[in-house]
């Protein structure tokens, strides 16, 4: 029961610096349940950390080669001819 209350207190009192550190850690490892709950609870109340989480997710995707598709980096499985047609259409309309 003592562990429950300490984890609940952590969820309710997590500060931005600790939340940002945990979000950064989540790029390298799976957070524990109590850490995920603490970050989730903090994100419900903090818009700045919500924006930071999106930035971390973008950085993580870029580091793992899962960046958003662009004209120079077409999505996997797209035939080269289709990518060329899309690039040509973009050039004509931009």
């Amino acid at each position: 029961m003592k562990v429950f209350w300490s984890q609940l207190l952590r969820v309710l009192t997590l500060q931005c610096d600790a939340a940002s550190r945990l979000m950064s850690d989540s790029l390298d490892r799976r957070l524990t349940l109590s850490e995920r709950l603490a970050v989730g609870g903090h994100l419900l109340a903090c818009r700045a950390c919500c924006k930071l989480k999106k930035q971390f997710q973008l950085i993580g995707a870029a580091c793992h080669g899962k960046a958003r598709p662009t004209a120079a980096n077409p999505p996997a499985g797209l035939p080269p001819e289709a990518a060329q047609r899309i690039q040509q259409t973009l050039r004509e309309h931009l």
Side-chain angles (χ1 to χ4, degrees), residues 37-54:
L37 290 173
V39 171
H42 181 80
L43 291 173
L44 289 173
C46 184
R47 291 179 90 184
C49 285
C50 286
K51 291 180 183 179
L52 181 64
K53 180 181 179 189
K54 289 179 183 176

Side-chain angles (χ1 to χ4, degrees), residues 31-77:
L31 299 180
T32 65
L33 177 61
S34 64
E35 289 171 333
R36 291 193 310 269
L37 290 173
V39 171
H42 181 80
L43 291 173
L44 289 173
C46 184
R47 291 179 90 184
C49 285
C50 286
K51 291 180 183 179
L52 181 64
K53 180 181 179 189
K54 289 179 183 176
Q55 291 172 349
F56 277 134
Q57 289 172 332
L58 183 62
I59 291 168
C63 290
H64 292 101
K66 299 175 186 171
R68 293 182 191 166
T70 62
N73 180 22

Side-chain angles (χ1 to χ4, degrees), residues 23-37:
M23 286 186 285
S24 175
D25 288 350
S26 73
L27 296 174
D28 300 321
R29 66 175 177 88
R30 181 166 170 78
L31 299 180
T32 65
L33 177 61
S34 64
E35 289 171 333
R36 291 193 310 269
L37 290 173

Side-chain angles (χ1 to χ4, degrees), residues 4-37:
F4 170 78
W5 289 112
S6 67
Q7 290 179 350
L8 180 62
L9 184 63
R10 182 178 187 186
V11 168
L12 297 175
T13 61
L14 191 68
Q15 299 290 320
C16 290
D17 61 336
S20 63
R21 195 169 29 256
L22 286 171
M23 286 186 285
S24 175
D25 288 350
S26 73
L27 296 174
D28 300 321
R29 66 175 177 88
R30 181 166 170 78
L31 299 180
T32 65
L33 177 61
S34 64
E35 289 171 333
R36 291 193 310 269
L37 290 173

